[in-house]
Amino acid sequence: MHAPQTTTRDASLAARRSMYSHNKLQIGLFGANCSSGRAVTLVPERWSGNWPDNKRLAVMSDEAGIDFLLPIGRWKGYGGDTDYQGTTLETITWATGLLASTKRITVFGTVHAPIFNPVVAAKEMVTADHVSEGRFGLNIVVGWNEGEFDMFGVEQREHTDRYDYAQEWIDVIKAIWSDREDFAFEGKYLNMKGVRGKPKPYGNSRPVIMNAGASATGQAFAIKNCDAFFLQASRTSLDDTAQKVRAAQSAARAQDREIGCYTVGVVTCKPTMKEAQDYFHHCIVECADWSAVDGILGLKNISPQTVPMQEYLTKRSQYAQGMGGLPIIGDPDHVAAQLADLSKAGLTGIAISLVNYIEELPYFCDEVLGRLQRMGLRDKRG
C-alpha cells in the first residue's frame, strides 16, 4: 500500500498576508486572551479570558472562517471593580496552543520588544510557526504602561528611542529568520555575537508582522518593517479613514513595499437596531466599570484638570466602549453595511471585539458574514 500523500501549505509571504483566503475584507477577533476582553463592563456575561473558553473560541472561529486572532500584550490589570484585563494569557504560548488546535486561522503573538530578548523571541515564534505550518503572526509593541515595565525592571525610553531600539530588535529577528548564521550585530542598544537560529520559519518566508504605531515615528516604523498597519478609523468621516489608508499605502509604495491597513472595532449586533442599542447602553453605560475607565484615563493623563471637560467626557465614554475602538452597533444589515464601508475606504481588515465572544460570534457569523459574502467581500468559507 502507498502511504497517503501529505499537502504542504504554501507559506509564502503573499499567502501569509492574505491569511490563506481570498477575503477582500479580513475579519479577526481582538483581545480574547484578557479577562473582560475589551469591554470595560460589570455585566456578568463579560468575557472570562480563561484557557477553555479561548480554545473553544479559536476552534469556533476557525470553522466559521474568521481570519485571525489578535491578542493584547498585558502584564497587569487596570483595577476597578472587575480588575479589568487583570487575568491574561501570555500571547506567544497562547498562540502556540491555539494554532495546535486549529487548521486554517492565523494567530498573532503580541510582543513587547523591550522586554523580550530577540534571540529568545525569534525561537519562540518560529516554534509556533512550525506548529501551525505558517499561521503565526507577530504584532510588535514598542512601549506601553510604565507600571508594567517597572515589573521587569525595564525603563521606558523616550518616544523616538523606543523605535530606534525596536528597529534593532526587528533587524535581529529578521536576520535570525533568514539564511544568515553565526552573525554579529552591533548597534546602539544590542551587541550580539555568534547569533544563529534553527529551524527557520515554516516554508520559504517569515511570519506576517504588524504594528499599530499612532505617531509619525510609529507609522514610519510600521511602513518600513511591517506587512500590516493598524490605524484608527474615523468615527465621523469615511473619507478621513480613506485618506489615512491612502497616505500609509503611498508611503509604503515609495519604499517599494506594500502594506495592509487594518482598524479595530467593537461590534454589538442584535436582530433589531433597538435591541443592539439597548444592549450596548446596558453594558457600556449602565454597567460600565467606571473606576477602571478612570484608571486607564489616568495613565494617559486625561482628566478634568488636563483637558477640557467635554473632551474628558467624550474620552471617558469612548474608553468604556472598548478602549477607543470604532463602535459598530445595529442589526445585521447595518453592521454588514458599516463593515462594507470600511472596505470601500481601502481597509484590508478589521479586528473586532465582543462583550462575550463565544455567545455572540455564532450570530455574527451566521448573519453578518453571509451578507458580506453576498457583497463579494468574503469567500464562501467565511
Side-chain angles (χ1 to χ4, degrees):
M1 296 179 62
H2 295 288
Q5 291 185 334
T6 58
T7 301
T8 301
R9 183 187 301 277
D10 171 18
S12 65
L13 189 56
R16 289 176 184 264
R17 289 183 58 174
S18 71
M19 300 189 188
Y20 305 102
S21 78
H22 297 97
N23 293 323
K24 185 176 179 181
L25 180 68
Q26 295 172 353
I27 295 177
L29 300 180
F30 187 24
N33 67 306
C34 298
S35 59
S36 292
R38 299 183 73 241
V40 197
T41 181
L42 303 170
V43 296
E45 69 270 23
R46 66 184 182 273
W47 182 241
S48 72
N50 66 35
W51 174 250
D53 282 350
N54 269 275
K55 182 178 178 181
R56 182 181 168 199
L57 176 66
V59 172
M60 179 188 295
S61 301
D62 194 46
E63 293 174 350
I66 295 295
D67 295 290
F68 63 95
L69 301 175
L70 177 64
I72 295 170
R74 182 72 67 246
W75 300 97
K76 65 163 65 173
Y78 289 107
D81 295 329
T82 60
D83 187 22
Y84 176 63
Q85 293 186 349
T87 300
T88 63
L89 300 174
E90 190 281 320
T91 69
I92 300 180
T93 44
W94 171 86
T96 306
L98 297 183
L99 288 164
S101 305
T102 54
K103 298 178 180 178
R104 54 156 297 277
I105 197 166
T106 294
V107 186
F108 285 84
T110 297
V111 181
H112 289 87
I115 59 177
F116 277 73
N117 178 283
V119 178
V120 176
K123 178 70 74 174
E124 290 176 327
M125 293 186 284
V126 85
T127 300
D129 200 49
H130 277 265
V131 166
S132 63
E133 296 185 343
R135 292 184 287 120
F136 177 81
L138 164 62
N139 177 31
I140 304 175
V141 178
V142 173
W144 189 228
N145 297 337
E146 298 243 354
E148 291 195 330
F149 276 51
D150 289 344
M151 292 172 61
F152 296 89
V154 175
E155 184 177 349
Q156 186 85 280
R157 297 181 177 91
E158 292 299 320
H159 186 75
T160 301
D161 292 339
R162 296 176 197 177
Y163 283 96
D164 289 342
Y165 174 85
Q167 187 62 62
E168 293 187 12
W169 188 88
I170 195 61
D171 286 344
V172 171
I173 295 278
K174 288 182 176 180
I176 293 171
W177 286 347
S178 75
D179 292 332
R180 295 179 65 184
E181 294 292 343
D182 298 315
F183 65 90
F185 185 93
E186 295 183 12
K188 179 179 178 181
Y189 303 99
L190 298 174
N191 189 351
M192 314 171 83
K193 299 177 181 178
V195 182
R196 67 169 66 175
K198 293 181 180 180
K200 303 302 181 182
Y202 182 86
N204 299 312
S205 62
R206 56 158 175 79
V208 64
I209 301 172
M210 68 167 53
N211 179 255
S215 67
T217 303
Q219 291 181 34
F221 173 85
I223 288 165
K224 178 180 178 181
N225 297 285
C226 301
D227 310 295
F229 172 52
F230 269 85
L231 55 84
Q232 185 71 52
S234 171
R235 292 169 177 253
T236 58
S237 170
L238 200 64
D239 288 340
D240 286 350
T241 299
Q243 186 175 354
K244 290 180 181 179
V245 172
R246 287 195 297 269
Q249 293 180 337
S250 176
R253 283 193 292 271
Q255 299 181 33
D256 294 323
R257 303 190 73 251
E258 294 292 330
I259 195 163
C261 292
Y262 294 73
T263 195
V264 295
V266 184
V267 171
T268 306
C269 186
K270 299 292 181 182
T272 68
M273 180 67 77
K274 184 178 187 305
E275 287 178 89
Q277 291 173 337
D278 287 350
Y279 186 68
F280 181 84
H281 183 82
H282 170 66
C283 291
I284 307 305
V285 179
E286 296 175 341
C287 295
D289 187 349
W290 291 114
S291 56
V293 172
D294 290 339
I296 295 165
L297 294 178
L299 290 170
K300 297 178 175 293
N301 197 32
I302 299 173
S303 72
Q305 289 73 45
T306 59
V307 300
M309 180 56 73
Q310 188 55 52
E311 181 182 346
Y312 167 72
L313 293 175
T314 299
K315 290 288 187 184
R316 198 168 186 252
S317 175
Q318 290 176 351
Y319 273 84
Q321 292 171 13
M323 299 291 283
L326 180 69
I328 302 175
I329 307 158
D331 58 37
D333 284 333
H334 180 77
V335 171
Q338 292 284 98
L339 293 172
D341 282 345
L342 293 176
S343 179
K344 291 176 186 175
L347 285 168
T348 308
I350 182 171
I352 66 170
S353 58
L354 307 164
V355 172
N356 186 298
Y357 297 87
I358 285 177
E359 289 182 3
E360 297 174 51
L361 185 64
Y363 185 76
F364 175 84
C365 292
D366 288 346
E367 297 296 333
V368 177
L369 294 191
R371 284 166 168 78
L372 294 176
Q373 178 190 330
R374 291 190 288 276
M375 294 177 187
L377 297 177
R378 306 278 301 175
D379 63 23
K380 291 184 179 180
R381 184 169 51 188

